[in-house]
Amino acid sequence: MGDRPATDWEARFQASREPQVKVLEKSFAGIPAGARMLVVTPRIVDAEVCEIAPGSVMAAATLRQRLAARHGADYACPVTTGIALRVVAERSYLRLQAGVEPVTPFWRALDPESDLAGKLACGREFLRQMRAAEAPPLRTGR
Protein backbone atom coordinates (compact mmCIF):
# COMPACT_ATOMS: atom_id res chain seq x y z
CA MET A 1 0.00 0.00 0.00
CA GLY A 2 1.34 3.41 -0.95
CA ASP A 3 0.50 6.79 0.47
CA ARG A 4 -2.93 8.06 -0.47
CA PRO A 5 -3.01 11.52 -2.02
CA ALA A 6 -4.22 14.27 0.27
CA THR A 7 -7.87 15.19 -0.07
CA ASP A 8 -8.42 18.50 -1.81
CA TRP A 9 -10.92 20.00 0.61
CA GLU A 10 -11.20 23.24 -1.36
CA ALA A 11 -12.13 21.33 -4.52
CA ARG A 12 -14.70 19.29 -2.62
CA PHE A 13 -16.17 22.50 -1.21
CA GLN A 14 -16.27 24.20 -4.61
CA ALA A 15 -17.85 21.23 -6.45
CA SER A 16 -20.82 22.61 -8.35
CA ARG A 17 -23.69 20.60 -6.98
CA GLU A 18 -27.02 21.90 -5.85
CA PRO A 19 -28.90 20.67 -2.78
CA GLN A 20 -31.73 18.30 -3.65
CA VAL A 21 -34.92 17.30 -1.89
CA LYS A 22 -35.86 13.70 -2.57
CA VAL A 23 -38.92 11.72 -1.51
CA LEU A 24 -37.69 8.49 0.02
CA GLU A 25 -39.09 5.31 -1.47
CA LYS A 26 -37.93 3.33 1.55
CA SER A 27 -36.73 4.27 5.01
CA PHE A 28 -33.12 5.41 5.31
CA ALA A 29 -30.97 6.24 8.35
CA GLY A 30 -33.99 6.53 10.63
CA ILE A 31 -35.95 8.61 8.13
CA PRO A 32 -39.29 7.03 7.16
CA ALA A 33 -40.34 6.13 3.64
CA GLY A 34 -42.32 8.92 1.98
CA ALA A 35 -40.44 11.68 3.81
CA ARG A 36 -38.87 14.57 1.95
CA MET A 37 -35.13 14.36 2.62
CA LEU A 38 -32.64 17.12 1.82
CA VAL A 39 -29.34 16.00 0.32
CA VAL A 40 -27.04 18.80 1.44
CA THR A 41 -23.92 20.36 -0.05
CA PRO A 42 -20.91 21.80 1.74
CA ARG A 43 -21.93 25.32 0.70
CA ILE A 44 -25.31 25.25 2.45
CA VAL A 45 -23.81 23.62 5.55
CA ASP A 46 -21.12 26.31 5.56
CA ALA A 47 -23.73 29.09 5.35
CA GLU A 48 -25.73 27.59 8.22
CA VAL A 49 -22.67 27.14 10.45
CA CYS A 50 -21.67 30.75 9.81
CA GLU A 51 -24.96 31.83 11.40
CA ILE A 52 -24.18 30.20 14.76
CA ALA A 53 -23.44 33.02 17.19
CA PRO A 54 -20.03 33.27 18.86
CA GLY A 55 -20.03 31.37 22.14
CA SER A 56 -22.92 29.18 21.00
CA VAL A 57 -22.88 25.59 19.84
CA MET A 58 -25.35 23.64 17.73
CA ALA A 59 -26.00 19.92 17.92
CA ALA A 60 -25.84 17.95 14.69
CA ALA A 61 -29.55 17.10 14.95
CA THR A 62 -30.44 20.79 15.27
CA LEU A 63 -28.23 21.66 12.30
CA ARG A 64 -30.02 19.04 10.20
CA GLN A 65 -33.45 20.29 11.32
CA ARG A 66 -32.60 23.87 10.39
CA LEU A 67 -31.22 22.87 6.99
CA ALA A 68 -34.31 20.77 6.24
CA ALA A 69 -36.67 23.58 7.25
CA ARG A 70 -34.84 26.14 5.10
CA HIS A 71 -35.10 23.90 2.04
CA GLY A 72 -38.67 22.66 2.39
CA ALA A 73 -37.77 19.16 3.50
CA ASP A 74 -38.86 17.02 6.44
CA TYR A 75 -35.32 15.85 7.20
CA ALA A 76 -31.74 16.50 6.13
CA CYS A 77 -29.71 13.44 5.24
CA PRO A 78 -27.45 12.62 8.20
CA VAL A 79 -24.87 10.98 5.92
CA THR A 80 -24.39 13.86 3.48
CA THR A 81 -24.63 16.38 6.32
CA GLY A 82 -21.77 14.64 8.12
CA ILE A 83 -19.69 14.52 4.96
CA ALA A 84 -20.39 18.17 4.16
CA LEU A 85 -19.59 19.22 7.72
CA ARG A 86 -16.25 17.46 7.45
CA VAL A 87 -15.49 19.23 4.15
CA VAL A 88 -16.37 22.57 5.75
CA ALA A 89 -14.25 21.84 8.84
CA GLU A 90 -11.18 20.58 6.98
CA ARG A 91 -11.30 23.46 4.47
CA SER A 92 -11.74 26.02 7.23
CA TYR A 93 -8.92 24.57 9.30
CA LEU A 94 -6.56 24.74 6.31
CA ARG A 95 -7.63 28.34 5.66
CA LEU A 96 -7.07 29.20 9.32
CA GLN A 97 -3.56 27.73 9.17
CA ALA A 98 -2.86 29.74 6.02
CA GLY A 99 -4.12 32.98 7.58
CA VAL A 100 -7.02 33.27 5.14
CA GLU A 101 -10.08 35.02 6.54
CA PRO A 102 -12.92 34.79 7.16
CA VAL A 103 -13.01 31.24 8.46
CA THR A 104 -16.19 29.29 9.08
CA PRO A 105 -16.47 28.62 12.85
CA PHE A 106 -16.93 24.88 12.45
CA TRP A 107 -16.11 24.23 16.12
CA ARG A 108 -19.56 25.59 16.96
CA ALA A 109 -21.21 22.72 15.06
CA LEU A 110 -18.89 19.83 15.91
CA ASP A 111 -19.03 18.06 19.25
CA PRO A 112 -15.43 17.39 20.30
CA GLU A 113 -16.53 13.94 21.52
CA SER A 114 -18.19 12.94 18.23
CA ASP A 115 -16.81 10.29 15.90
CA LEU A 116 -16.42 12.94 13.21
CA ALA A 117 -14.26 15.11 15.49
CA GLY A 118 -11.84 12.23 15.88
CA LYS A 119 -11.29 12.12 12.10
CA LEU A 120 -10.48 15.82 11.66
CA ALA A 121 -6.96 17.08 11.01
CA CYS A 122 -7.40 19.68 13.76
CA GLY A 123 -8.23 17.06 16.38
CA ARG A 124 -10.60 17.11 19.32
CA GLU A 125 -8.42 19.37 21.47
CA PHE A 126 -8.56 22.17 18.89
CA LEU A 127 -12.37 22.06 19.00
CA ARG A 128 -12.31 22.21 22.81
CA GLN A 129 -9.87 25.14 22.77
CA MET A 130 -11.90 27.14 20.25
CA ARG A 131 -15.11 26.56 22.17
CA ALA A 132 -13.43 27.58 25.43
CA ALA A 133 -11.99 30.72 23.82
CA GLU A 134 -15.50 31.80 22.78
CA ALA A 135 -17.27 30.83 25.99
CA PRO A 136 -18.56 33.73 28.04
CA PRO A 137 -16.68 34.23 31.32
CA LEU A 138 -18.20 32.62 34.37
CA ARG A 139 -19.77 35.04 36.80
CA THR A 140 -18.93 34.68 40.43
CA GLY A 141 -21.46 35.63 43.06
CA ARG A 142 -20.72 38.12 45.80
Side-chain angles (χ1 to χ4, degrees), residues 3 12 19 34 37 40 42 44-45 52 67 69 73 78 83 87 108 111 131 135:
D3 290 331
R12 290 190 68 180
M37 183 184 77
V40 304
I44 67 168
V45 170
I52 304 170
L67 287 164
I83 293 167
V87 170
R108 298 177 191 160
D111 180 349
R131 284 181 168 202

Side-chain angles (χ1 to χ4, degrees), residues 109-120:
L110 272 162
D111 180 349
E113 304 310 314
S114 69
D115 290 341
L116 177 54
K119 297 175 184 178
L120 298 176

Side-chain angles (χ1 to χ4, degrees), residues 83-142:
I83 293 167
L85 190 53
R86 180 167 187 194
V87 170
V88 167
E90 298 287 12
R91 174 183 182 258
S92 296
Y93 184 63
L94 288 171
R95 291 169 63 90
L96 187 66
Q97 289 180 310
V100 177
E101 292 189 25
V103 173
T104 301
F106 62 92
W107 51 89
R108 298 177 191 160
L110 272 162
D111 180 349
E113 304 310 314
S114 69
D115 290 341
L116 177 54
K119 297 175 184 178
L120 298 176
C122 66
R124 297 176 196 275
E125 191 55 35
F126 175 83
L127 298 175
R128 289 185 196 101
Q129 289 171 355
M130 295 304 287
R131 284 181 168 202
E134 288 189 348
L138 295 176
R139 294 183 186 214
T140 56
R142 291 189 182 228

Side-chain angles (χ1 to χ4, degrees), residues 22-37:
K22 297 182 176 189
V23 177
L24 295 179
E25 293 181 19
K26 58 183 181 177
S27 62
F28 171 76
I31 301 172
R36 294 173 47 84
M37 183 184 77

Side-chain angles (χ1 to χ4, degrees), residues 27-97:
S27 62
F28 171 76
I31 301 172
R36 294 173 47 84
M37 183 184 77
L38 173 67
V39 179
V40 304
T41 65
R43 285 187 183 276
I44 67 168
V45 170
D46 186 79
E48 196 66 41
V49 171
C50 283
E51 292 188 20
I52 304 170
S56 298
V57 296
M58 183 179 291
T62 303
L63 177 65
R64 289 192 309 272
Q65 289 168 349
R66 288 179 65 167
L67 287 164
R70 285 189 196 262
H71 294 273
D74 303 314
Y75 299 88
C77 175
V79 175
T80 59
T81 303
I83 293 167
L85 190 53
R86 180 167 187 194
V87 170
V88 167
E90 298 287 12
R91 174 183 182 258
S92 296
Y93 184 63
L94 288 171
R95 291 169 63 90
L96 187 66
Q97 289 180 310

